[in-house]
């Protein structure tokens, strides 16, 4: 580097390099300018100056200088390396790899360039090239441990575990007998555990077991050693030895469920589906009885038997498990028991048990069979448990009665208010739920969880402005809204985006969804530094696990929601495009002068308000200082706070396709992925791709209402399309004709017959009837009345026996809301929608959407003050105006101030 310069300038060039490495950028620039005064065309100096400027956020100058430097010295590996570093800083890894390869053509044995290239290859998963680069590094520097380990990991990632084991064994052969020294014992032990895990992955279990027994003294992490050992023993069938190790692990941590599962496997008493024979249940009962005596302090050993016990034994075990937790007042008890509700029989037993406990405590002050009085709080926690139980079973009126009684008993317990907010939300009263959640938050302003619960309830009620003001109470001074983004607070951004989408604000909805997508890009980028760090620190098992997690990162539910939200926004933008400038001017020209002035004044005020809000959200104080007086780092003002620029795309469907591709690659088993694919490709007139989406939907769930909709809509569109003209169109039609007989739903049937058959097979289901009605309207628009009648004739039957306090009907609130929107937007029949709303208001009296008599947006009549249960007489309820008046009125007052 700098070899073409005289000695004085060559020393200055070394100063530039050292200044860059130590982040003394001004010093480096000074040295570069000194060289360029005498040698203005020196390529390597120009490149290094550009790299330094890039670190000072002067990117345009940086690229210009680096390109000039490269142009002046194309045969300099330094110029190519710097160009690669520039691309790497902008995450353009493909171009960076090209630059590194060009640098290696000039200097093939440069260790730094090879190391940088290997990091990018690992990041981009160019595994074949990664193996070659690590092999070259090992050849050049065989005395470095990192090069051996890196070469082994490269082969492992390239699915060649046996070769990775050979490399690690060759590395061990280079070590002294007394290795490792005291300060490297942990790192060496991690390497040995990694090698053993490779042997296990290869299926060489006997070698892995032999290696563990031989190297036990050199492995420091004894817990990991035992877990690895027992995994190998169980796979080898050495169950007796495995049982001993699992029992020793349970002694170390008797609340680790994995150890109990492992112990059951060793004893031959484990079922993936949780189904056991009577004999197996007896053996399991005996096992856990002995374990309870041995691990008296363990909660898991008391909870696990509830999963396999049945009948009276289940009731006895549940009773003994629940009572101590009610006495202690454990708020998470219901969450612990909630998986049992997937089995209706157990849910009924739990209900009877809870009611027995409630009646006994209420009448005698003690639990059944006990003479000692329980603490007064026991009744409150029992009511709290019952309220959550009835909420889970859909009996919201009973749940609210129980939780109100608990609040009246002890008004200072915050968990009661949080539970009531959840119940109200499930019942459909989103505004009252937000108000109660705000009341809970105000009872402990230092509790971040309560703040978050309140924010999510507000967002569900579409109170976005109020939710944002509440959320930023827990952010740093001066950074507020940015801090939420910096913390990658994705639940908040997703809920905000969904709320904006419901309100029709596509710009802000898209901004929130794309912010979540950027978080995932940042998480992918964050792995970069670990490629070298983990090899150096020898955290190899964690490193490989992290890479596997990164490979399926975009299958995370949060990303699925964000990508689906963005796709829906773009499709809606395509369906209802924004007005162009010419169209707006044309509309303006039709207004009289006074209206024009008012409109322009309104636009100016809106722009000024948006700019002010952006500055506030970015925490910019006029003096550049925070409230504490400390100077803040300047943040760029968000010039597009409402996402208006995001909507100004030439082809919204092209943008949507980018996110659809990610969903198809990472969430191919999700119905929503293929529904979105169908909707998008139908808009793009991509017939075969739309048909592919239909086939995937039928493969995943042929009886799903949305699958049926897509199937009928697709072939209806094909049937009404013009005859094929071009060769490509004829080919598409031949493919469809060949594929149609393979679709069992259409084989030998017309579309109308297929729709009738679907309806007949699912006539008891509301959503299936709604799908069949919609498709009847699509196929035969003149039968609109008949289609609506299919929906209105649906019977809201009682679900199977659902406990002591009355039955529950089958219809779900969300489904009824979806049907109401269908009647309004697809059938466009306001009378039918009104009739449906009136009918559903009776079934869901707390729903604000249907204006139920108990909802917070409707004044209850005197006839609604009491709701009669068919089995237990009457249960009284407070009207929203009495029970939550203060909180709700305060909430609504704040909404009026914010003009929401």
């Amino acid at each position: 580097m700098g070899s073409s310069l005289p000695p004085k300038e060559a020393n200055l060039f070394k100063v530039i390099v050292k200044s860059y490495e130590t982040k003394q950028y001004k010093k480096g620039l000074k040295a570069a300018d000194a060289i360029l005064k005498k040698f203005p065309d020196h390529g390597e100096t120009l490149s290094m100056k550009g790299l330094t400027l890039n670190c000072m956020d002067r990117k345009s100058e940086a690229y210009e200088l680096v390109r000039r430097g490269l142009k002046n010295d194309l045969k300099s590996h330094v110029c190519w390396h710097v160009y690669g570093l520039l691309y790497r800083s902008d995450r353009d890894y493909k171009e960076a790899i090209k630059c590194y390869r060009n640098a290696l053509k000039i200097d093939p044995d440069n260790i730094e360039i090879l190391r940088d290239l290997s990091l990018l290859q690992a990041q981009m998963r160019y595994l074949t090239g990664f193996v070659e680069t690590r092999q070259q590094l090992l050849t050049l520097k065989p005395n470095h441990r990192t090069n051996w380990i890196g070469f082994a990991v490269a082969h492992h990632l390239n699915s060649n575990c046996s070769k990775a084991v050979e490399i690690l064994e060759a590395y061990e052969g280079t070590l002294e007998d007394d290795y490792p020294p005291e300060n490297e014992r942990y790192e060496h032990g991690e390497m040995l555990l990694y090698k053993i895990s490779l042997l296990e992955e290869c299926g060489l279990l006997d070698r892995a077991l032999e290696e563990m027994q031989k190297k036990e003294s050199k492995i420091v992490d004894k817990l990991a050693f035992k877990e690895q050992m027992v995994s190998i023993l169980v796979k080898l069938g050495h169950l007796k030895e495995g049982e001993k190790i699992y029992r020793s692990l349970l002694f170390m941590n008797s609340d680790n469920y994995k150890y109990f599962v492992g112990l059951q496997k060793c004893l031959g008493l484990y079922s993936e589906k949780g189904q056991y024979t009577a004999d197996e249940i007896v053996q399991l009962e005996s096992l856990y009885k002995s374990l309870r005596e041995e691990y008296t302090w363990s909660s898991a050993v008391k909870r696990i038997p509830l999963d396999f016990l049945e009948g009276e034994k289940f009731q006895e075990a549940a009773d003994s498990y629940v009572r101590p937790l009610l006495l202690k007042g454990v708020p998470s008890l219901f969450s612990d028991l909630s998986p049992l509700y997937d089995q209706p029989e157990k849910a009924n037993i739990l209900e009877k048990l809870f009611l027995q406990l409630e009646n006994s405590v209420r009448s005698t002050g003690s639990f059944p069979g006990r003479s000692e009085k329980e603490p007064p709080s026991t009744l409150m926690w029992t009511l709290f448990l019952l309220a959550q139980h009835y909420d889970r079973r859909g009996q919201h009126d009973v749940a609210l009665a129980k939780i109100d009684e608990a609040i009246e008993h002890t008004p200072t317990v915050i968990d009661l208010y949080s539970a009531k907010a959840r119940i109200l939300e499930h019942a459909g009263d989103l505004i009252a739920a937000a108000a109660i959640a705000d009341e809970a938050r105000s009872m402990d302003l230092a509790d971040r969880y309560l703040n978050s619960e309140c924010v999510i309830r507000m967002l569900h009620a579409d109170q976005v402005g109020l939710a944002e003001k509440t959320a930023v109470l827990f952010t740093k001074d001066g950074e507020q809204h940015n801090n939420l983004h910096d913390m990658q607070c994705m639940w908040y951004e997703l809920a905000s985006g969904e709320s904006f989408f419901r309100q029709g604000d596509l710009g802000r909805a898209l901004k929130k969804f794309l912010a979540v997508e950027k978080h995932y890009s940042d998480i992918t980028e964050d792995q970069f530094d670990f490629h070298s760090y983990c090899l150096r620190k020898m955290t190899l098992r964690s490193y490989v696990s992290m890479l596997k997690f990164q490979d399926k990162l975009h299958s995370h539910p949060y990303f699925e929601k964000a990508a689906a939200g963005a796709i829906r926004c773009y499709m809606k933008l395509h369906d209802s495009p924004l007005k162009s400038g010419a169209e707006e001017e044309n509309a303006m020209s039709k207004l009289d002068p006074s209206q024009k002035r008012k409109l322009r004044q309104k636009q100016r005020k809106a722009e000024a308000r948006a700019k002010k809000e952006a500055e506030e959200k970015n925490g910019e104080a006029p003096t550049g200082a925070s409230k504490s007086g400390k100077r803040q780092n300047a943040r760029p003002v968000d010039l597009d706070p409402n996402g208006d620029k995001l909507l100004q795309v030439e082809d919204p469907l092209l943008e949507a396709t980018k996110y659809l591709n990610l969903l198809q690659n990472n969430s191919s088993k999700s119905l929503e992925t293929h529904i979105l694919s169908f909707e998008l490709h139908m808009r793009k007139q991509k017939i075969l791709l739309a048909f592919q989406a239909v086939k995937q939907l039928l493969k995943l769930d042929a009886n799903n209402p949305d699958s049926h909709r897509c199937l009928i809509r697709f072939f209806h569109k094909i049937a009404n399309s013009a005859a094929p003209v071009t060769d490509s169109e004829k080919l598409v039609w031949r493919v469809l004709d060949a594929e149609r007989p393979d679709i069992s739903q259409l084989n030998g049937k017309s579309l109308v017959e297929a729709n009738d058959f679907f309806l007949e097979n699912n006539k008891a289901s509301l959503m299936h009837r709604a799908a069949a009605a919609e498709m009847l309207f699509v196929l035969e628009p003149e039968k609109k009345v008949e289609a609506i009648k299919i929906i209105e004739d649906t019977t809201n039957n009682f679900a199977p026996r659902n406990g002591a306090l009355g039955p529950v009907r089958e219809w779900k609130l969300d489904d009824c809301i979806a049907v109401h929107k269908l009647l309004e937007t697809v059938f466009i029949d306001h009378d039918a929608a009104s009739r449906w709303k009136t009918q559903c208001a009776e079934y869901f009296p707390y729903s604000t959407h249907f204006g139920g008599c108990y909802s917070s947006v409707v004044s209850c009549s005197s006839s609604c003050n009491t709701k009669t249960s068919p089995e237990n007489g009457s249960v009284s309820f407070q009207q929203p105006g009495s029970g939550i008046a203060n909180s709700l009125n305060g909430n609504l007052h704040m909404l009026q101030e914010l003009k929401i």
Side-chain angles (χ1 to χ4, degrees):
M1 292 189 296
S3 56
S4 60
L5 294 170
K8 181 181 177 183
E9 282 70 23
N11 289 331
L12 281 173
F13 189 84
K14 291 177 182 177
V15 171
I16 302 172
V17 175
K18 188 174 181 180
S19 299
Y20 168 73
E21 291 171 349
T22 57
K23 299 184 180 180
Q24 296 176 326
Y25 303 128
K26 290 185 178 179
K27 183 178 179 182
L29 282 180
K30 188 176 179 182
D33 289 336
I35 296 173
L36 293 172
K37 274 185 180 180
K38 292 186 178 180
F39 305 96
D41 296 326
H42 188 253
E44 293 181 357
T45 304
L46 287 168
S47 295
M48 284 304 301
K49 182 179 178 182
L51 186 61
T52 304
L53 288 173
N54 183 61
C55 296
M56 300 172 73
D57 292 328
R58 293 161 66 178
K59 286 191 178 293
S60 57
E61 295 176 65
Y63 271 100
E64 184 182 350
L65 284 169
V66 171
R67 285 170 181 147
R68 270 181 57 201
L70 186 61
K71 185 179 179 182
N72 292 339
D73 196 350
L74 272 172
K75 294 186 177 180
S76 167
H77 71 273
V78 174
C79 293
W80 281 110
H81 190 188
V82 167
Y83 203 16
L85 291 172
L86 210 59
Y87 276 124
R88 191 184 82 177
S89 70
D90 286 338
R91 303 184 184 183
D92 192 347
Y93 296 136
K94 290 183 180 180
E95 291 300 320
I97 288 173
K98 291 178 185 177
C99 294
Y100 289 157
R101 290 198 178 281
N102 285 329
L104 288 172
K105 288 177 184 177
I106 300 164
D107 187 3
D109 295 336
N110 189 298
I111 297 290
E112 289 183 12
I113 299 175
L114 284 168
R115 191 184 299 118
D116 285 349
L117 176 61
S118 72
L119 297 179
L120 290 184
Q121 288 169 329
Q123 179 80 3
M124 298 296 290
R125 305 296 193 271
Y126 295 162
L127 299 179
T128 304
F130 183 41
V131 170
E132 293 171 357
T133 305
R134 294 309 313 191
Q135 183 175 14
Q136 195 173 350
L137 281 166
L138 178 60
T139 305
L140 293 171
K141 289 280 186 179
N143 57 334
H144 280 204
R145 179 184 70 182
T146 305
N147 291 338
W148 285 95
I149 303 302
F151 190 33
V153 170
H155 275 291
H156 181 200
L157 296 177
N158 202 32
S159 303
N160 194 347
C161 295
S162 56
K163 185 66 176 177
V165 172
E166 290 177 21
I167 295 164
L168 292 175
E169 288 179 340
Y171 166 66
E172 286 185 88
T174 66
L175 304 176
E176 303 288 341
D177 291 337
D178 59 348
Y179 190 87
E182 190 63 32
N183 63 336
E184 295 184 23
R185 286 189 65 218
Y186 186 83
E187 287 86 348
H188 186 68
E190 281 294 304
M191 188 272 289
L192 293 173
L193 284 170
Y194 175 62
K195 186 178 82 169
I196 293 163
S197 70
L198 285 174
L199 289 168
E200 184 180 1
E201 192 174 327
C202 291
L204 304 172
L205 300 175
D206 290 315
R207 276 186 63 188
L209 184 59
E210 182 184 348
E211 189 74 15
M212 291 207 79
Q213 292 168 344
K214 188 173 20 173
K215 301 292 177 64
E216 180 178 0
S217 60
K218 292 189 175 183
I219 296 175
V220 178
D221 189 345
K222 296 303 179 187
L223 177 62
F225 173 83
K226 285 189 173 186
E227 290 178 340
Q228 189 86 56
M229 173 70 86
V230 77
S231 173
I232 294 168
L233 287 171
V234 171
K235 288 179 180 177
L236 284 169
H238 300 171
L239 301 181
K240 287 290 183 184
E241 297 173 50
E243 180 188 346
K244 290 179 183 177
I245 295 178
Y246 271 123
R247 288 186 182 275
S248 67
L249 287 169
L250 281 171
F251 185 78
M252 297 168 68
N253 183 359
S254 60
D255 280 316
N256 189 322
Y257 279 65
K258 290 181 181 178
Y259 297 161
F260 287 103
V261 169
L263 180 60
Q264 286 181 219
K265 286 180 178 177
C266 290
L267 295 170
L269 296 172
Y270 180 71
S271 167
E272 291 284 348
K273 296 180 180 179
Q275 298 173 349
Y276 300 96
T277 64
D279 185 50
E280 287 173 336
I281 290 175
V282 171
Q283 294 180 57
L284 282 169
E285 188 180 1
S286 175
L287 169 66
Y288 279 93
K289 184 178 179 182
S290 64
L291 290 172
R292 260 196 317 274
E293 294 171 358
E294 190 173 355
Y295 308 112
T296 55
W297 61 89
S298 170
S299 175
V301 79
K302 300 169 189 172
R303 169 61 183 82
I304 292 173
L306 299 181
D307 293 328
F308 59 79
L309 291 175
E310 296 176 352
E312 291 183 5
K313 289 185 176 179
F314 170 78
Q315 183 171 353
E316 292 172 9
D319 192 7
S320 62
Y321 182 71
V322 166
R323 286 191 188 192
L325 299 180
L326 287 176
L327 288 173
K328 290 180 182 177
V330 177
S332 60
L333 174 58
F334 182 78
S335 298
D336 189 14
L337 297 173
S338 61
L340 299 172
Y341 282 72
D342 295 333
Q343 304 173 55
E345 291 180 4
K346 290 188 176 181
N348 288 332
I349 292 172
L350 286 175
E351 181 170 306
K352 291 175 184 176
L353 170 63
F354 298 160
L355 288 172
Q356 286 174 5
L357 295 175
E358 180 203 13
N359 292 334
S360 180
V361 173
R362 192 189 295 275
S363 59
T364 66
S366 59
F367 285 133
R370 281 174 58 90
S371 57
E372 298 177 10
K373 297 291 184 183
E374 312 300 348
S377 62
T378 307
L379 176 60
M380 181 268 293
W381 289 115
T382 306
L383 291 168
F384 177 62
L385 181 62
L386 271 167
Q388 294 173 91
H389 164 82
Y390 285 115
D391 178 41
R392 171 66 182 261
R393 308 203 79 177
Q395 294 172 271
H396 303 302
D397 48 1
V398 183
L400 285 167
K402 296 293 182 185
I403 202 68
D404 282 337
E405 186 180 351
I407 291 173
E408 187 178 351
H409 184 283
T410 313
T412 56
V413 178
I414 302 175
D415 295 288
L416 301 177
Y417 296 88
S418 295
K420 183 172 182 179
R422 285 193 293 274
I423 296 167
L424 283 167
E425 182 173 291
H426 297 159
D429 197 339
L430 304 181
I431 296 174
I436 288 291
D438 190 47
E439 186 176 345
R441 178 192 67 83
S442 65
M443 294 172 74
D444 186 357
L445 297 174
D447 192 320
R448 188 171 198 151
Y449 172 75
L450 292 175
N451 183 275
S452 299
E453 280 272 296
C454 177
V455 169
I456 200 72
R457 303 277 172 259
M458 290 174 173
L459 291 173
H460 289 168
D462 292 336
Q463 301 170 1
V464 183
L466 186 57
E468 184 174 316
K469 286 183 177 293
T470 306
V472 299
L473 294 173
F474 275 83
T475 59
K476 296 178 182 177
D477 288 344
E479 295 186 1
Q480 296 190 352
H481 189 268
N482 275 322
N483 192 252
L484 286 170
H485 180 78
D486 294 342
M487 289 189 299
Q488 297 183 342
C489 193
M490 288 186 267
W491 65 263
Y492 170 78
E493 288 169 327
L494 282 172
S496 299
E498 288 164 358
S499 178
F500 283 129
F501 184 79
R502 285 193 296 270
Q503 297 176 67
D505 191 340
L506 293 185
R508 284 197 267 194
L510 197 55
K511 193 174 181 69
K512 294 296 183 183
F513 291 135
L514 296 187
V516 175
E517 190 273 335
K518 185 180 184 305
H519 294 325
Y520 280 88
S521 299
D522 291 340
I523 293 169
T524 302
E525 172 65 19
D526 288 343
Q527 72 178 297
F528 187 85
D529 293 330
F530 289 96
H531 298 308
S532 57
Y533 175 84
C534 292
L535 295 181
R536 192 169 69 252
K537 292 294 185 181
M538 299 292 280
T539 55
L540 305 175
R541 292 174 301 141
S542 299
Y543 173 58
V544 172
S545 176
M546 183 268 292
L547 293 181
K548 289 179 179 178
F549 165 75
Q550 289 280 356
D551 289 339
K552 57 182 181 181
L553 179 66
H554 288 91
S555 63
H556 191 276
Y558 276 6
F559 179 80
E560 289 181 24
K561 288 181 181 178
I567 292 168
R568 289 197 303 270
C569 287
Y570 283 123
M571 288 195 299
K572 197 167 184 180
L573 182 61
H574 171 267
D575 296 340
S576 304
L578 299 175
K579 289 183 179 179
S580 65
E583 289 173 329
E584 288 183 356
E585 287 179 11
N586 187 35
M588 283 277 287
S589 64
K590 296 177 181 179
L591 299 175
D592 58 56
S594 62
Q595 289 177 317
K596 286 182 184 178
R597 283 196 300 273
K598 288 179 181 178
L599 184 60
R600 289 196 183 100
Q601 189 175 9
K602 188 176 180 181
Q603 288 173 344
R604 283 196 296 270
K605 286 182 178 179
E607 289 172 5
R609 184 167 59 250
K611 186 176 179 181
K612 184 179 179 182
E613 286 177 0
E615 290 176 355
E616 288 175 356
K617 288 176 182 178
N618 283 279
E620 289 194 354
T623 58
S626 68
K627 293 178 183 177
S628 60
K630 293 183 180 179
R631 192 165 188 82
Q632 300 290 308
N633 291 328
R635 284 181 175 272
V637 175
D638 186 354
L639 300 177
D640 187 27
N642 297 325
D644 296 330
K645 292 181 181 178
L646 294 175
L647 299 179
Q648 296 169 6
V649 291
E650 292 183 7
D651 188 352
L653 297 184
L654 179 62
E655 295 297 318
T657 304
K658 298 176 185 176
Y659 299 103
L660 178 64
N661 291 338
L662 286 169
L663 286 179
Q664 289 176 321
N665 292 333
N666 297 281
S667 303
S668 59
K669 294 184 179 179
S670 168
L671 277 173
E672 186 175 20
T673 296
H674 302 294
I675 292 169
L676 291 170
S677 175
F678 172 80
E679 296 289 350
L680 183 59
H681 290 125
M682 287 292 279
R683 285 169 170 80
K684 294 176 72 175
Q685 303 296 319
K686 302 284 186 180
I687 301 299
L688 287 182
L689 290 175
F691 181 59
Q692 186 181 40
V694 171
K695 289 181 68 177
Q696 288 294 328
L697 286 168
L698 296 176
K699 182 179 177 182
L700 290 171
D701 188 355
N703 200 44
N704 185 277
D706 288 317
S707 301
H708 178 70
R709 281 189 179 94
C710 294
L711 174 67
I712 299 298
R713 282 177 53 201
F714 177 79
F715 281 102
H716 177 64
K717 179 177 176 62
I718 296 301
N720 288 277
S721 298
V725 178
T726 64
D727 291 340
S728 60
E729 289 176 347
K730 291 177 181 177
L731 179 62
V732 169
W733 254 248
R734 283 199 296 271
V735 170
L736 295 177
D737 289 339
E739 290 279 352
R740 179 164 177 161
D742 295 334
I743 300 174
S744 60
Q745 289 83 353
L746 298 180
N747 194 7
K749 303 185 190 78
S750 68
L751 293 181
V752 173
E753 290 171 341
N755 192 51
D756 291 341
F757 184 77
F758 177 81
L759 175 60
E760 182 62 27
N761 286 345
N762 301 280
K763 56 186 176 183
S765 166
L766 171 63
M767 295 309 290
H768 286 80
R769 291 178 71 96
E774 183 183 351
M775 291 304 99
L776 176 61
F777 180 56
V778 168
L779 295 171
E780 300 177 281
E782 68 278 4
K783 292 187 177 181
K784 176 179 175 180
V785 175
E786 183 182 334
I788 292 173
K789 193 171 186 302
I790 291 173
I791 295 175
E792 293 184 329
D793 286 350
T794 312
T795 305
N796 190 6
N797 296 317
F798 289 108
R801 177 73 181 173
N802 202 19
L805 287 187
V808 173
R809 293 187 180 271
E810 289 180 340
W811 289 1
K812 305 298 181 188
L813 175 60
D814 289 343
D815 293 343
C816 291
I817 291 173
V819 171
H820 183 243
K821 291 179 179 177
L822 178 71
L823 291 169
E824 283 189 322
T825 58
V826 176
F827 289 97
I828 315 178
D829 190 316
H830 299 297
D831 291 337
S834 178
R835 292 195 301 271
W836 183 258
K837 184 175 182 179
T838 303
Q839 182 182 2
C840 290
E842 296 178 9
Y843 294 132
F844 305 102
Y846 294 93
S847 170
T848 51
H849 182 88
F850 293 119
C853 63
Y854 292 132
S855 68
S856 56
V857 295
V858 174
S859 299
C860 297
S861 63
S862 58
S863 62
C864 283
N865 288 336
T866 301
K867 185 173 177 62
T868 302
S869 172
E871 297 190 10
N872 288 311
S874 62
V875 182
S876 297
F877 299 96
Q878 292 180 337
Q879 295 182 18
S882 59
I884 57 172
N886 295 333
S887 179
L888 184 58
N889 290 339
N891 204 340
L892 293 173
H893 179 66
M894 291 181 72
L895 290 175
Q896 289 169 0
E897 288 183 347
L898 291 166
K899 296 182 180 179
I900 294 179

